Amino acid sequence: MSQASIMQLVEKSALKEEPPKFDIGDTVDVHLKILEGNKERIQVFSGVVIARSGSGSKEMFTVRRIVAGQGVERKFPVHSPRIEKVEVKRSAVIRRAKLYFLRDRIGKAVRLKERRR
């Protein structure tokens, strides 16, 4: 077996059977498993998906939210076992692959037009 085929087998075992379905511009709730000592709880991080990158087991997505007037971004692996679920709250009309322009906007200018379902 070549090294590339071994890597593909390892990556395939790390993939989730049913990866979450969401797009860039969606407002999502990411439910994360957090370990505190010997207890486990679920913490929700909600915000707008501004980017997706990578492919396969290395695929990541970035979620941005505003907390106390400050922008907070967090990157998550799509196939992480720590992610319980990704819940889509609303979808937006977008024309870009990456929404990095939202970083420069303040207040109501951050809002995106909602997509009809």
Tab-separated table of all heavy atoms in Angstrom, residues 1 9 11 13 21 25 30-31 35 40 50 59 65 69 78 80 88 91 106 110 112:
chain	number	residue	atom	x	y	z
A	1	MET	N	0.839	-1.193	0.000
A	1	MET	CA	0.000	0.000	0.000
A	1	MET	C	0.875	1.244	0.000
A	1	MET	O	1.833	1.320	0.752
A	1	MET	CB	-0.874	0.033	1.248
A	1	MET	CG	-2.256	-0.444	1.038
A	1	MET	SD	-3.237	0.010	2.469
A	1	MET	CE	-4.572	-1.066	2.192
A	9	LEU	N	-7.362	6.105	3.986
A	9	LEU	CA	-8.086	5.206	4.893
A	9	LEU	C	-8.232	5.819	6.283
A	9	LEU	O	-9.293	5.737	6.904
A	9	LEU	CB	-7.355	3.866	5.003
A	9	LEU	CG	-7.490	2.909	3.827
A	9	LEU	CD1	-6.563	1.723	4.005
A	9	LEU	CD2	-8.934	2.446	3.703
A	11	GLU	N	-8.130	9.065	7.034
A	11	GLU	CA	-9.038	10.218	6.947
A	11	GLU	C	-10.490	9.776	6.821
A	11	GLU	O	-11.376	10.386	7.400
A	11	GLU	CB	-8.658	11.107	5.764
A	11	GLU	CG	-7.430	11.934	6.025
A	11	GLU	CD	-7.094	12.875	4.887
A	11	GLU	OE1	-7.897	12.993	3.942
A	11	GLU	OE2	-6.026	13.489	4.956
A	13	SER	N	-11.903	7.183	8.078
A	13	SER	CA	-12.423	6.719	9.365
A	13	SER	C	-12.792	7.885	10.285
A	13	SER	O	-13.608	7.733	11.182
A	13	SER	CB	-11.396	5.819	10.063
A	13	SER	OG	-10.260	6.571	10.441
A	21	LYS	N	-25.469	20.099	7.270
A	21	LYS	CA	-25.760	20.807	6.025
A	21	LYS	C	-25.975	22.292	6.338
A	21	LYS	O	-26.956	22.655	6.981
A	21	LYS	CB	-27.015	20.244	5.370
A	21	LYS	CG	-26.967	18.761	5.098
A	21	LYS	CD	-26.421	18.480	3.721
A	21	LYS	CE	-26.589	17.054	3.299
A	21	LYS	NZ	-25.602	16.136	3.784
A	25	GLY	N	-23.019	32.292	5.048
A	25	GLY	CA	-24.076	33.279	5.187
A	25	GLY	C	-25.206	32.814	6.083
A	25	GLY	O	-26.075	33.605	6.443
A	30	VAL	N	-23.956	26.309	16.924
A	30	VAL	CA	-23.043	25.172	16.970
A	30	VAL	C	-23.077	24.638	18.398
A	30	VAL	O	-22.701	25.333	19.334
A	30	VAL	CB	-21.603	25.583	16.581
A	30	VAL	CG1	-20.690	24.376	16.582
A	30	VAL	CG2	-21.584	26.258	15.223
A	31	HIS	N	-23.557	23.417	18.574
A	31	HIS	CA	-23.656	22.785	19.893
A	31	HIS	C	-22.383	21.983	20.137
A	31	HIS	O	-22.123	20.994	19.458
A	31	HIS	CB	-24.878	21.864	19.961
A	31	HIS	CG	-26.172	22.596	19.815
A	31	HIS	ND1	-26.992	22.851	20.882
A	31	HIS	CD2	-26.780	23.135	18.735
A	31	HIS	CE1	-28.051	23.519	20.464
A	31	HIS	NE2	-27.947	23.701	19.160
A	35	LEU	N	-15.926	19.501	28.233
A	35	LEU	CA	-15.587	18.698	29.407
A	35	LEU	C	-15.106	19.612	30.530
A	35	LEU	O	-14.171	20.388	30.342
A	35	LEU	CB	-14.486	17.695	29.072
A	35	LEU	CG	-14.880	16.513	28.208
A	35	LEU	CD1	-13.644	15.752	27.778
A	35	LEU	CD2	-15.817	15.602	28.968
A	40	GLU	N	-19.680	16.496	31.582
A	40	GLU	CA	-19.753	16.946	30.195
A	40	GLU	C	-21.031	17.746	30.015
A	40	GLU	O	-22.090	17.355	30.481
A	40	GLU	CB	-19.771	15.726	29.264
A	40	GLU	CG	-19.668	16.078	27.813
A	40	GLU	CD	-19.614	14.849	26.940
A	40	GLU	OE1	-18.530	14.261	26.793
A	40	GLU	OE2	-20.679	14.475	26.417
A	50	ILE	N	-18.943	32.653	8.110
A	50	ILE	CA	-18.318	33.576	7.168
A	50	ILE	C	-17.351	32.885	6.220
A	50	ILE	O	-16.955	33.477	5.221
A	50	ILE	CB	-17.612	34.747	7.880
A	50	ILE	CG1	-16.470	34.268	8.750
A	50	ILE	CG2	-18.604	35.573	8.669
A	50	ILE	CD1	-15.573	35.387	9.229
A	59	GLU	N	-11.774	19.655	6.719
A	59	GLU	CA	-12.669	20.765	6.406
A	59	GLU	C	-13.010	21.552	7.668
A	59	GLU	O	-13.329	20.978	8.706
A	59	GLU	CB	-13.946	20.247	5.750
A	59	GLU	CG	-14.827	21.344	5.223
A	59	GLU	CD	-16.030	20.826	4.465
A	59	GLU	OE1	-16.204	19.596	4.379
A	59	GLU	OE2	-16.802	21.663	3.988
A	65	ARG	N	-19.580	36.149	15.574
A	65	ARG	CA	-20.668	36.757	16.334
A	65	ARG	C	-20.158	38.013	17.023
A	65	ARG	O	-18.946	38.212	17.145
A	65	ARG	CB	-21.253	35.773	17.340
A	65	ARG	CG	-20.285	35.454	18.477
A	65	ARG	CD	-20.788	34.379	19.366
A	65	ARG	NE	-21.677	34.923	20.372
A	65	ARG	CZ	-22.126	34.240	21.409
A	65	ARG	NH1	-21.782	32.981	21.551
A	65	ARG	NH2	-22.903	34.768	22.289
A	69	GLY	N	-20.149	44.233	21.862
A	69	GLY	CA	-19.581	45.187	20.921
A	69	GLY	C	-18.294	44.741	20.241
A	69	GLY	O	-17.747	45.468	19.420
A	78	VAL	N	-15.468	20.520	10.662
A	78	VAL	CA	-16.802	20.016	10.325
A	78	VAL	C	-17.017	18.621	10.898
A	78	VAL	O	-18.091	18.295	11.393
A	78	VAL	CB	-16.996	20.007	8.789
A	78	VAL	CG1	-18.284	19.309	8.401
A	78	VAL	CG2	-16.994	21.424	8.246
A	80	SER	N	-15.619	17.151	13.540
A	80	SER	CA	-15.163	16.993	14.920
A	80	SER	C	-16.159	16.174	15.738
A	80	SER	O	-17.372	16.407	15.675
A	80	SER	CB	-14.994	18.371	15.561
A	80	SER	OG	-14.747	18.237	16.943
A	88	VAL	N	-29.245	25.293	11.769
A	88	VAL	CA	-29.372	26.492	10.940
A	88	VAL	C	-30.589	27.274	11.401
A	88	VAL	O	-31.709	26.760	11.397
A	88	VAL	CB	-29.495	26.123	9.441
A	88	VAL	CG1	-29.675	27.374	8.601
A	88	VAL	CG2	-28.271	25.354	8.989
A	91	SER	N	-31.048	31.647	6.745
A	91	SER	CA	-30.129	31.684	5.619
A	91	SER	C	-30.148	33.072	5.006
A	91	SER	O	-31.167	33.764	5.066
A	91	SER	CB	-30.536	30.657	4.565
A	91	SER	OG	-30.459	29.362	5.102
A	106	ILE	N	-20.096	47.644	11.216
A	106	ILE	CA	-20.534	47.853	12.598
A	106	ILE	C	-22.051	48.026	12.613
A	106	ILE	O	-22.623	48.627	11.703
A	106	ILE	CB	-19.864	49.126	13.184
A	106	ILE	CG1	-18.349	48.980	13.144
A	106	ILE	CG2	-20.322	49.375	14.615
A	106	ILE	CD1	-17.616	50.269	13.376
A	110	VAL	N	-24.030	45.007	9.521
A	110	VAL	CA	-23.592	43.613	9.573
A	110	VAL	C	-24.696	42.675	9.089
A	110	VAL	O	-24.425	41.557	8.661
A	110	VAL	CB	-23.147	43.240	11.015
A	110	VAL	CG1	-22.789	41.779	11.131
A	110	VAL	CG2	-21.981	44.102	11.421
A	112	LEU	N	-27.471	40.681	7.018
A	112	LEU	CA	-27.537	40.171	5.648
A	112	LEU	C	-29.004	39.961	5.269
A	112	LEU	O	-29.827	39.673	6.132
A	112	LEU	CB	-26.783	38.839	5.543
A	112	LEU	CG	-25.295	38.864	5.896
A	112	LEU	CD1	-24.774	37.452	6.032
A	112	LEU	CD2	-24.523	39.627	4.844
